[in-house]
Amino acid sequence: MSQLTENPRPTALIIDDDAVFRITAGEHLKTAGFNVLEAEDGLSGLSQFRTSQADIVLLDVTLPQQDGFSICRQIRAIPHGETVPVLMITGNDDTESIHRAFQAGASDFTSKSVNYELLIHRIHYMLRTQETTRALREREKSLAYAQSIAKLGNWEWLVQASQFNCSEQVNRILGLAADKAFNIEVLLEAIHPEERDQCQRVLNQCLQKTSQCQFECRIVHPEHGEILTNHEIKVITDSQGELLQVHGTLQDISERRLIEDRIHKMALFDTLTGLPNRNNFYDRLSLSISHARYSKSQLAIMFLDLDGFKIINDSLGHSSGDQLLKMIGNRLSSVLRDGDLAARFGGDEFCILLEDLENKNDAANIAQRCLDTIGQSISVNNTRLYPRISIGIAVYPFDGDSCDTLIRSADNAMYAAKQAGKHQYRFFSAEMTTFTKHYLHLEHDLLDALQNNQFELNYQPQVSLHNGSIIGVEALVRWHHPKLGILAPDQFIPIMEKNGLIVSLGKWVLQSASRQMVEWRHAQVPINRVAVNISGVHFSSGNLIGSLETIIEETGVKPSELQIEITEGVIQTTKESIKNCAKLQELGIKIAIDDFGTGYSCLSSLSHLPIDCLKIDKIFVQNMVDCKNNAAIAETIVSISNTMELSVIAEGVETQEQIQKLKDIGCELGQGFYFCKPASAEQIARLVSTDLLDHQAEELPGIVH
Ligand code: C2E
Ligand code: CA
Ligand code: CA
């Protein structure tokens, strides 16, 4: 904002043919700090003014050739002369001249018989006024500029003077012709005919009640067409309530409304696919539920999740991922009936609302159409993809009666579809809830369980049935779940086998068990071997041998101190696994077949397998006392292993009778709760000198189950 500034050395131009006046006034002005320029006639005065940019002009009325009035007019016509203060020097009491001087654009006048002191004061005063005027003009300019940015104009109606004033912007917004002056009628005329009467009513009310009002309306601009405007009007009265002034503003809000609309759209629609978003879907769904409740009709929710989208996104990049999602959005829309609603829930999740469902078949048909349409090949960035999608369906009122419950049910059903093999649909059923929820939580929590050191090994002794000494231990993994406590392997191994994490877990178990083995050896704890369970997924993964070599080197465990337990199914399946067994043997690591008897092995086919030990599954051990068949199987296993020179361990030994029976059939080693439940490494170290045949697990101190 400009401020009043004092010109340090202003220039005064004296135009007078009277040399005495020029000299005397000039001297006074110089003493007062002015630069002084002199001209003895009008024309040379004008040319000096043009070149000098004087700050003030002292102009004699009577000049040779052209008089002072004419010169004054010419000064005003020069750009910087428009605002320069011009003091006219008139004859004494020459009122006619004074009048003409003002007409010619003079700022002030003084008589020839000047008091020079007063003259200097007057000149200072004029300069200050001129500075104030200049500052005011600048403010007006910046106000006009601000108004043009805000597309905001203001107007006033000075009622008693019947005068209307308005800012430049008002003319612009209304598109008024240059010769058309603003007034209330002109404003009303510019308003869209459909809204004019209503606006007039509001305005009249405002004037009558001498209050303030606001309204929005369309203006019909002669060039730009319809413009949305906002009006604010305030009425001012005197103390008797007499109307004095009316002030109004009008603003072009078309652009703002456009942005508001866009924001509104963004709040309700997904920017990528253009489909309604989650919030929008919830709104529509809750309306539809109310409608269905009222009309006793059914509706269905389909929850759709792309299969393997993460892989596409990671391998082809996010822009390909986005492209795919867009195409899926289009395909979904193409499948729907009029009135159905497809929405994007975020990520690779979509939801469909099917109203007025006749029966479940309708939903099934649409789900099948979705699978067929979406499953067609698609080209994304020159890569041919076959999108797959899993769909869960929930039906109101059976599977939920609120947005949340219905969507949750559909979501659960979708997971069931994924588990059942993907790219298919499933209707919700009650059993899905607890199972999927639990499964999903565990699956999620497992992702960083290894990093967070939530796994722990317990060890269960393998015992000589003759003297109760520990010949080795089996490492059994436990998961310390932060919320659910200690979880047994059956609850998480199958999940890890599915998502591939089992390989990392297997390595961790091998490493930890090996370290423990070395620690025991160094502490001279007489445990000679640790058995580690290796999942079939890990065994066939191809990198087991490599990891084992590294672990042996890193931990210092002796290969003879390790035994790998695998189930019989694994070893039979591929040639690769037979090769793996041979390599393990080469390394000097022993192999045990776990849960033996429950698989499909033909006992005689074992002869050519490079294995060291069979573990009789606990099912045979536990039933051998009461069931002759089981006893016979156990006996056969023992006799075959004896002829093949394999060692045998009976699993799940719980009672004295079982031990007796096992001894009778020639089994020499056992493992089970009778001796000891799986326990921590420290607890095991404390047990080693005990004769475990004399003790029952329950009586052993400090054993965790
Ligand atoms: P498994 O290899 O057959 O392990 C023996 C299971 O029988 C253990 O269950 C053990 O606690 C239990 N058990 C031992 N003695 C008795 C008994 O006298 N009576 C009864 N009823 N059960 C007994 P756990 O620890 O729950 O492990 C279950 C299965 O999880 C294991 O069966 C094994 O297949 C798997 N597993 C355990 N640890 C690991 C591991 O580190 N890696 C892999 N891949 N699988 C593991
Ligand atoms: Ca085992
Ligand atoms: Ca077993």
Side-chain angles (χ1 to χ4, degrees), residues 582-597:
K583 279 190 199 149
L584 284 174
Q585 249 192 354
E586 269 171 41
L587 277 177
I589 295 171
K590 296 217 159 24
I591 302 166
I593 306 293
D594 209 352
D595 306 339
F596 193 78

Side-chain angles (χ1 to χ4, degrees), residues 116 188 416 586 694:
Y116 285 102
L188 286 168
E586 269 171 41
D694 276 351

Side-chain angles (χ1 to χ4, degrees), residues 406-472:
L406 273 172
I407 289 173
R408 210 178 307 133
S409 298
D411 191 16
N412 280 332
M414 185 276 291
Y415 270 100
K418 281 217 190 269
Q419 275 182 290
K422 303 183 179 172
H423 200 60
Q424 51 189 288
Y425 67 86
R426 278 280 182 281
F427 278 96
F428 173 76
S429 75
E431 309 84 68
M432 286 173 182
T433 326
T434 35
F435 172 74
T436 9
K437 223 189 263 171
H438 184 67
Y439 183 94
L440 286 176
H441 282 150
L442 289 189
E443 189 176 35
H444 174 264
D445 296 345
L446 273 170
L447 291 176
D448 39 31
L450 254 178
Q451 267 145 297
N452 295 342
N453 288 321
Q454 288 169 0
F455 292 107
E456 184 198 64
L457 289 184
N458 274 186
Y459 298 89
Q460 189 179 33
Q462 296 172 331
V463 180
S464 156
L465 298 182
H466 293 297
N467 57 23
S469 65
I470 299 179
I471 57 106

